[in-house]
Amino acid sequence: HETGDNFEFALADNRDLYAIKKSGTGSERTEVHVLSKDSNYESYSLHTATTLHETGDNFEFLLADNRDLYAIKKSGTGSERTEVHVLSKDSNYESYSLHTATTLHETGDNF
């Protein structure tokens, strides 16, 4: 199906495609859907609801080489700083390996 603004995409080193569904999920949490390169992107190697609540435009997602998922909360934080939340691949993204407020102030679309 077509995707909207509630999705972000990341490509793993092995060329698997990560579709991160930020909102409008059945689980009411941010979800990770991995389309397998080996299947020519016709099947999933992972469908999971993460431990992270549904997210909006104030979050940006990055995929590390080890496939941990970095959720960068740019604004609307309790700390009034840009925050980093690392969802661990080893836990199927069901737990964090890091939660921290950075020294960087809250950021917007220009970051």
Side-chain angles (χ1 to χ4, degrees):
H1 69 283
E2 292 184 10
T3 56
D5 292 342
N6 60 331
F7 275 85
E8 279 193 36
F9 295 90
L11 192 64
D13 287 343
N14 69 349
R15 304 290 187 246
D16 282 354
L17 182 63
Y18 279 62
I20 300 143
K21 190 171 185 182
K22 298 166 39 167
S23 62
T25 66
S27 64
E28 298 182 359
R29 296 186 286 163
T30 297
E31 296 177 353
V32 174
H33 306 279
V34 181
L35 292 155
S36 167
K37 179 200 177 286
D38 291 341
S39 73
N40 289 323
Y41 307 104
E42 293 180 7
S43 66
Y44 295 96
S45 60
L46 179 69
H47 278 291
T48 192
T50 70
T51 193
L52 183 62
H53 56 78
E54 288 189 323
T55 53
D57 290 340
N58 60 330
F59 272 84
E60 187 169 326
F61 291 86
L62 302 167
L63 191 64
D65 290 342
N66 67 354
R67 298 193 194 137
D68 282 355
L69 186 62
Y70 281 64
I72 313 299
K73 189 172 185 183
K74 302 188 316 183
S75 62
T77 67
S79 65
E80 298 183 2
R81 304 246 176 232
T82 297
E83 296 178 353
V84 177
H85 307 279
V86 181
L87 295 155
S88 166
K89 179 203 180 283
D90 291 341
S91 72
N92 279 339
Y93 309 104
E94 294 177 6
S95 66
Y96 297 103
S97 60
L98 178 69
H99 275 295
T100 193
T102 70
T103 191
L104 185 63
H105 56 80
E106 289 189 327
T107 54
D109 290 339
N110 60 335
F111 270 80

